[in-house]
Amino acid sequence: MPRRTFSRRFLAGGAVAAAVGPAAVGSAVPAAGAPAAAETAPTAKGTVRRARAGGEVRHLKMYAERLPGGQMGYGLEKGEATIPGPMIELVEGDTLHIEFENAMDVEVSLHVHGVDYDIDNDGTRMNRSTVPPGGKRTYTWRTHEPGRRKDGTWRPGSAGYWHYHDHVVGTEHGTGGIRRGLYGPVVVRRKGDVLPDKQFTIVFNDMTVNNRGAGETPDFEATVGDRVEIVMITHGEYYHTFHLHGHRWADNRTGLLEGPEDPSRVVDNKITGPADSFGFQVVAGENVGAGAWMYHCHVQSHSDMGMAGLFLIAKPDGTVPGHEPHHPPGHEHP
Amino acid sequence: MPRRTFSRRFLAGGAVAAAVGPAAVGSAVPAAGAPAAAETAPTAKGTVRRARAGGEVRHLKMYAERLPGGQMGYGLEKGEATIPGPMIELVEGDTLHIEFENAMDVEVSLHVHGVDYDIDNDGTRMNRSTVPPGGKRTYTWRTHEPGRRKDGTWRPGSAGYWHYHDHVVGTEHGTGGIRRGLYGPVVVRRKGDVLPDKQFTIVFNDMTVNNRGAGETPDFEATVGDRVEIVMITHGEYYHTFHLHGHRWADNRTGLLEGPEDPSRVVDNKITGPADSFGFQVVAGENVGAGAWMYHCHVQSHSDMGMAGLFLIAKPDGTVPGHEPHHPPGHEHP
Amino acid sequence: MPRRTFSRRFLAGGAVAAAVGPAAVGSAVPAAGAPAAAETAPTAKGTVRRARAGGEVRHLKMYAERLPGGQMGYGLEKGEATIPGPMIELVEGDTLHIEFENAMDVEVSLHVHGVDYDIDNDGTRMNRSTVPPGGKRTYTWRTHEPGRRKDGTWRPGSAGYWHYHDHVVGTEHGTGGIRRGLYGPVVVRRKGDVLPDKQFTIVFNDMTVNNRGAGETPDFEATVGDRVEIVMITHGEYYHTFHLHGHRWADNRTGLLEGPEDPSRVVDNKITGPADSFGFQVVAGENVGAGAWMYHCHVQSHSDMGMAGLFLIAKPDGTVPGHEPHHPPGHEHP
């Protein structure tokens, strides 16, 4: 497609939510007075930015809203809900207070994976932590650093690629809320973790990608050499296998090998089921160059039905070799 | 529910089998004269118990029996069969002789994962290692420590979260036996492995938990600070994703991070398929406190149909905050 | 079955392709003048062969052909196509040029996982890298060693158990080509990786093993003490769990533990989905001895429908204890 069209589409839909980077997160949380989550300033050849130390107490507003077409979404401002919801990025040791408002006419909640919370922040009806129509409440999420317990064992830290979702719309497990789009990514970093230049969130939710069906699935854009982070979440009913052409990642905590001794498998295809999440960083086009690199579910009927999109990696001059206004399988641009 | 009711229920059903700790296993194997599998005596603040050295030769009686409602189970004594069957706990280097009696009217067997056995202990009809109605035989399982092979490569030890099951009832793969409840957990520890205070076994067998359907699924009890081991096994026909609220584990051999260099992913949700098994230890309520923490399959229709239960973590005074006689989703107590 | 019959069958079908060892690969690539992929000569007690250094530029011819019964296969020579296709074995740093010829009457392609290639070697219609009926083209695959990037992060190498498959027959994701047999294994080794004595490829493709249905699934032969490598690939529509009786492997890059500090889980059962691949080496019969050891999908209906075969491990005298002309479940020999 013409690049102009692509960019417009890219900016219009769910991919925006999927591309909130560390700096943007910083600016979206002004109440916390948090600087961008980096120790060193701009990305430059030969350097990487790394996660700051944790320990901040941050405040965020979040809204649950109805969206066109029967969808629902989370957003940081009223009228700005997206699918997936906004990226929440923390460093181990941070605490996040989320002032949550239910701008819908049905009960909703916010249930999170991976981080610490008291039972009354569970986001379940059973634990009385849902929010009625028009209601407000604060959810508090905490994170912690790894360390040695008194008994000598090692306590893992909170770092990981996690996610949040509704746990009450439709059923007491939030099946209706999740189906309509009430989910989003959470990344908890360890101090010193490598920060990406760009972030994309890909959610295989039933037969959609980010609740977008065949022909409407998101593409993602980068330039050769960008350090791109992909957060991959699965929701719904089916198992999937996430495959990315031309790029691989380590099947471990960071998606990055720590060094020559790291025994983790390097993969380019991974089976996932509902509520699984993982993430990784790739250097766009490393060893393979620019191009329109497909990502897709590798369950054959799923890809054939359109669970596929493009990782468009441009040359420094902005062109993507061989990429013209034609379509990946099951993927049609308006 | 009233605690009294909960406790009665807890002790009445499959959860008993799921809660046989190391000491109980020791006492269930008097023939071997084995002391409890610990080097130091009672659990105390600031210490952990660790697995003894292996090398013991142990003897166990096991029975396959019919249970009410068309179910079948394994037990250590006649009339005491449970679903799941009894926890078998070994240390690398141990040998276990199981005097097995088929107290049923159909052919049955005992097939084990993970440990060493000669082909005539395979538990399959093909290898003539099933047991006719009313018959007896001895199955011998061996385990071994890791070590360097003569050729310089590293030989893994037997340590792991394994399991046993029938391999002949209904079909030559034991589909009928497994469906009716003929399965149980095996834990092989390495010398020095951290021992838990409590153990629970959770088996997702088709749409049941430990062969208990919606509304009858087991809950599990602990007190804040208990070191709880969960052994998770899948059986049957479907894939599942195991999710536990408020707690996480390392996706590696022990479910525990070995230290700051361990690259294993920490997860709270994991896809599993039939005969997969894994295990982990959590410190109950660590960083999150007491509460009625759900565990459930995160495939949305499965949780909606009742594949859910509670990990009830009490304060030291025995109360579970916010927990009253109401029900988790799809989970009703009589 | 009589050994003679077994051997004939073994050599007649797909298992041939599954058993192309390192030396055979060497001889199949004479154009590259590559010696066998080992530093030391024959396998001997107390030694292992290890992968040579990479950096070779190799040339290979490959053909896509129709096979009887509506199947399709890849082969290194005309008329020699097999299912799975030939094992492609590389060492990190190698480059492989594949002169590919489409000997069929439908468009076909070669898409590979794990290794490096420019976008015009993608094997997809979208990237104009398919081959018309009767057509030829060269696909170039590169591999690279791990190393430190300029920015200080660690770049993974290409080593892994990968695979190739068609991406255009039937659908734009190659669903028809894969179903008919257009797939094969790729192993990329790291310099110094342990080499096996024998290799077998097991592909769970829908309800078949290597496109062979119930009663026709392949068996695999070894002698106690052989270092056997199994490459396991999944294709098609369904998830499976791969289980091997009496043997285990590490769930990491090589399937081998690197030493006592390697935290990888050791497993004998693993969930996999379409396009997942993994591999491992076992010492045949280690700790368990000779026997007819089953491998099968552990999804109960799949094994019952015949997704099962035998890993026949003979004593040094060539006999397999207890193995006579009878059949594994759902497995009948002609």
Side-chain angles (χ1 to χ4, degrees):
Chain A
M1 80 216 73
R3 180 158 174 95
R4 179 180 174 78
T5 304
F6 171 81
S7 297
R8 185 153 42 80
R9 177 168 171 271
F10 184 79
L11 293 169
V16 172
V20 176
V25 167
S27 63
V29 195
E39 288 180 333
T40 64
T43 305
K45 293 288 181 203
T47 69
V48 287
R49 295 179 308 134
R50 292 187 177 273
R52 60 168 169 76
E56 297 185 356
V57 178
R58 302 169 65 178
H59 293 262
L60 198 67
K61 289 190 180 183
M62 192 177 286
Y63 303 85
E65 301 180 318
R66 286 195 178 274
L67 291 170
Q71 312 250 54
M72 297 173 173
Y74 293 112
L76 298 175
E77 296 184 50
K78 269 195 179 170
E80 299 294 333
T82 53
I83 302 175
M87 164 69 71
I88 307 289
E89 200 169 343
L90 301 167
V91 180
E92 287 178 338
D94 287 354
T95 295
L96 182 64
H97 300 288
I98 301 176
E99 293 178 51
F100 185 85
E101 181 174 335
N102 180 1
M104 305 196 300
D105 51 355
V106 295
E107 189 181 9
V108 74
S109 82
L110 189 64
H111 168 74
V112 65
H113 284 236
V115 304
D116 303 328
Y117 58 83
D118 297 338
I119 192 68
D120 56 356
N121 290 264
D122 192 33
T124 59
R125 184 173 288 153
M126 187 188 75
N127 281 311
R128 298 174 192 76
S129 42
T130 60
V131 182
K136 296 183 183 182
R137 68 154 288 163
T138 298
Y139 290 102
T140 296
W141 300 347
R142 299 182 309 273
T143 63
H144 63 270
E145 295 183 351
R148 189 74 54 190
R149 294 189 186 96
K150 281 185 186 174
D151 66 6
T153 61
W154 189 255
R155 188 186 68 162
S158 299
Y161 290 94
W162 306 106
H163 58 101
Y164 57 85
H165 62 84
D166 169 68
H167 212 295
V168 72
V169 175
T171 78
E172 300 219 351
H173 286 282
T175 302
I178 291 169
R179 183 172 298 138
R180 288 157 192 264
L182 288 170
Y183 54 76
V186 177
V187 178
V188 183
R189 301 194 194 278
R190 185 152 297 158
K191 180 187 170 182
D193 275 358
V194 174
L195 296 175
D197 299 318
K198 289 198 164 189
Q199 282 179 306
F200 303 119
T201 301
I202 299 177
V203 183
F204 283 178
N205 187 22
D206 285 336
M207 290 296 168
T208 77
V209 181
N210 298 358
N211 271 41
R212 298 162 75 139
E216 294 295 332
T217 55
D219 296 334
F220 303 102
E221 273 195 327
T223 301
V224 167
D226 285 347
R227 178 171 287 276
V228 175
E229 180 169 68
I230 293 181
V231 183
M232 204 279 139
I233 301 164
T234 300
H235 270 304
E237 200 50 33
Y238 307 108
Y239 90 92
H240 301 283
T241 49
F242 177 77
H243 174 48
L244 178 59
H245 283 212
H247 298 74
R248 291 129 253 123
W249 65 91
D251 193 18
N252 63 9
R253 176 180 74 85
T254 57
L256 300 169
L257 288 185
E258 299 299 313
E261 305 306 319
D262 188 333
S264 307
R265 182 181 293 119
V266 172
V267 299
D268 69 2
N269 198 86
K270 184 175 166 67
I271 190 168
T272 68
D276 280 345
S277 55
F278 63 95
F280 58 88
Q281 294 176 15
V282 294
V283 176
E286 187 177 42
N287 300 311
V288 298
W293 298 97
M294 280 189 210
Y295 73 86
H296 58 89
C297 178
H298 216 301
V299 176
Q300 294 298 133
S301 68
H302 297 192
S303 51
D304 288 343
M305 288 190 279
M307 288 192 75
L310 297 177
F311 184 21
L312 290 164
I313 302 180
K315 296 182 180 180
D317 68 6
T319 62
V320 178
H323 185 60
E324 293 165 28
H326 61 245
H327 312 147
H331 187 90
E332 300 184 40
H333 299 299
Chain B
M1 78 219 72
R3 178 156 175 98
R4 179 179 173 82
T5 304
F6 172 79
S7 296
R8 187 156 39 82
R9 177 169 172 271
F10 183 78
L11 293 169
V16 171
V20 178
V25 167
S27 64
V29 195
E39 288 181 333
T40 64
T43 304
K45 295 285 182 205
T47 70
V48 287
R49 296 180 306 135
R50 292 187 177 273
R52 60 169 169 78
E56 296 186 355
V57 178
R58 301 169 65 177
H59 293 262
L60 197 68
K61 290 190 178 181
M62 192 177 285
Y63 302 84
E65 300 180 319
R66 285 195 179 273
L67 290 170
Q71 311 248 55
M72 297 174 173
Y74 294 112
L76 298 176
E77 296 184 50
K78 269 193 178 170
E80 300 293 334
T82 53
I83 302 174
M87 164 69 71
I88 306 290
E89 200 168 342
L90 301 167
V91 180
E92 286 179 340
D94 287 354
T95 296
L96 181 64
H97 300 288
I98 301 175
E99 292 177 51
F100 185 84
E101 181 174 335
N102 180 1
M104 305 196 300
D105 52 355
V106 294
E107 188 181 11
V108 74
S109 81
L110 189 64
H111 168 74
V112 65
H113 285 236
V115 304
D116 303 329
Y117 58 84
D118 297 339
I119 193 68
D120 56 357
N121 290 264
D122 193 34
T124 58
R125 183 173 287 154
M126 187 187 76
N127 281 311
R128 299 173 191 77
S129 43
T130 60
V131 182
K136 296 184 182 181
R137 69 154 286 163
T138 298
Y139 288 103
T140 296
W141 300 347
R142 298 181 308 273
T143 64
H144 63 270
E145 295 183 352
R148 189 75 53 192
R149 293 190 187 95
K150 281 185 186 174
D151 66 7
T153 60
W154 189 256
R155 186 186 68 160
S158 299
Y161 290 95
W162 307 106
H163 58 101
Y164 57 85
H165 62 85
D166 169 69
H167 212 296
V168 71
V169 176
T171 78
E172 301 219 350
H173 286 282
T175 301
I178 291 168
R179 184 173 297 140
R180 288 157 192 263
L182 288 169
Y183 53 76
V186 177
V187 178
V188 183
R189 300 193 195 279
R190 185 153 297 158
K191 180 188 170 181
D193 275 359
V194 173
L195 296 175
D197 300 316
K198 290 197 164 189
Q199 282 179 306
F200 302 119
T201 302
I202 299 177
V203 183
F204 283 178
N205 187 22
D206 286 337
M207 290 297 168
T208 77
V209 180
N210 298 358
N211 270 42
R212 299 162 73 139
E216 294 295 332
T217 54
D219 296 335
F220 302 102
E221 273 195 328
T223 300
V224 166
D226 284 348
R227 179 171 285 277
V228 175
E229 181 170 68
I230 292 179
V231 183
M232 205 281 138
I233 302 164
T234 299
H235 270 305
E237 200 50 32
Y238 307 107
Y239 89 92
H240 301 283
T241 48
F242 177 76
H243 174 48
L244 178 59
H245 283 212
H247 297 75
R248 293 127 250 124
W249 64 92
D251 194 18
N252 63 9
R253 175 180 75 84
T254 58
L256 300 169
L257 287 185
E258 300 299 312
E261 306 307 319
D262 187 334
S264 306
R265 184 182 290 122
V266 173
V267 299
D268 69 1
N269 197 87
K270 183 173 166 69
I271 191 169
T272 68
D276 279 345
S277 55
F278 64 95
F280 58 88
Q281 294 176 16
V282 294
V283 176
E286 188 176 43
N287 301 309
V288 299
W293 298 98
M294 281 189 209
Y295 74 86
H296 59 88
C297 178
H298 217 300
V299 177
Q300 295 297 134
S301 68
H302 297 192
S303 51
D304 289 343
M305 287 191 279
M307 288 191 75
L310 297 178
F311 184 20
L312 289 164
I313 302 180
K315 295 182 181 180
D317 68 7
T319 63
V320 178
H323 185 60
E324 294 163 29
H326 61 246
H327 311 147
H331 187 88
E332 300 184 39
H333 299 298
Chain C
M1 76 216 76
R3 180 159 175 96
R4 181 180 172 82
T5 305
F6 173 80
S7 296
R8 187 153 40 80
R9 177 169 173 269
F10 184 79
L11 293 168
V16 172
V20 177
V25 167
S27 63
V29 194
E39 288 180 333
T40 64
T43 304
K45 294 285 181 205
T47 69
V48 287
R49 296 180 305 135
R50 292 187 177 273
R52 60 169 170 78
E56 297 186 355
V57 177
R58 302 169 63 178
H59 293 261
L60 197 67
K61 289 190 179 182
M62 191 177 285
Y63 302 85
E65 299 181 320
R66 287 195 178 272
L67 290 169
Q71 311 250 54
M72 298 174 173
Y74 294 112
L76 298 176
E77 296 184 51
K78 267 193 181 172
E80 301 292 335
T82 53
I83 301 174
M87 165 68 72
I88 307 289
E89 200 168 342
L90 301 167
V91 180
E92 287 178 340
D94 287 355
T95 296
L96 181 65
H97 299 287
I98 301 175
E99 293 178 52
F100 185 85
E101 181 173 335
N102 180 1
M104 306 197 298
D105 51 355
V106 294
E107 189 181 10
V108 74
S109 82
L110 189 64
H111 168 73
V112 66
H113 285 237
V115 304
D116 304 327
Y117 58 84
D118 297 339
I119 193 67
D120 57 356
N121 290 263
D122 192 33
T124 58
R125 183 173 288 153
M126 187 188 75
N127 281 311
R128 299 174 192 77
S129 43
T130 60
V131 182
K136 296 182 184 182
R137 68 154 286 162
T138 299
Y139 289 102
T140 296
W141 301 346
R142 299 181 309 272
T143 63
H144 63 270
E145 296 183 352
R148 189 74 55 191
R149 293 190 186 96
K150 282 185 187 174
D151 66 7
T153 60
W154 190 255
R155 186 185 69 161
S158 299
Y161 289 95
W162 306 107
H163 59 101
Y164 56 84
H165 63 84
D166 169 68
H167 212 297
V168 71
V169 176
T171 78
E172 301 219 351
H173 286 282
T175 301
I178 291 169
R179 184 173 297 140
R180 288 156 193 263
L182 288 170
Y183 54 76
V186 177
V187 178
V188 182
R189 301 194 195 276
R190 185 153 297 157
K191 179 188 171 183
D193 275 358
V194 174
L195 296 176
D197 300 318
K198 290 197 163 189
Q199 282 179 306
F200 303 120
T201 301
I202 299 178
V203 183
F204 283 178
N205 187 22
D206 286 338
M207 290 296 168
T208 76
V209 180
N210 298 356
N211 271 41
R212 299 161 75 139
E216 294 295 332
T217 55
D219 296 335
F220 303 101
E221 273 195 328
T223 301
V224 167
D226 285 349
R227 179 171 286 277
V228 175
E229 180 170 68
I230 293 180
V231 183
M232 204 280 138
I233 302 163
T234 299
H235 270 305
E237 200 50 31
Y238 307 106
Y239 89 92
H240 301 283
T241 48
F242 176 77
H243 175 46
L244 179 59
H245 283 213
H247 298 75
R248 292 130 252 121
W249 64 92
D251 193 19
N252 63 7
R253 175 180 75 84
T254 57
L256 300 169
L257 287 185
E258 299 298 312
E261 307 305 319
D262 187 333
S264 306
R265 183 181 292 118
V266 173
V267 299
D268 69 1
N269 198 87
K270 185 176 165 67
I271 191 168
T272 69
D276 280 345
S277 56
F278 63 95
F280 58 89
Q281 294 176 15
V282 293
V283 176
E286 188 176 41
N287 301 309
V288 299
W293 298 97
M294 281 188 209
Y295 73 87
H296 58 90
C297 178
H298 216 301
V299 176
Q300 293 298 133
S301 68
H302 297 191
S303 51
D304 288 342
M305 287 191 279
M307 287 192 75
L310 297 178
F311 184 21
L312 289 164
I313 303 180
K315 296 181 181 181
D317 68 6
T319 63
V320 178
H323 185 59
E324 294 164 27
H326 60 243
H327 311 146
H331 188 89
E332 301 182 40
H333 298 300

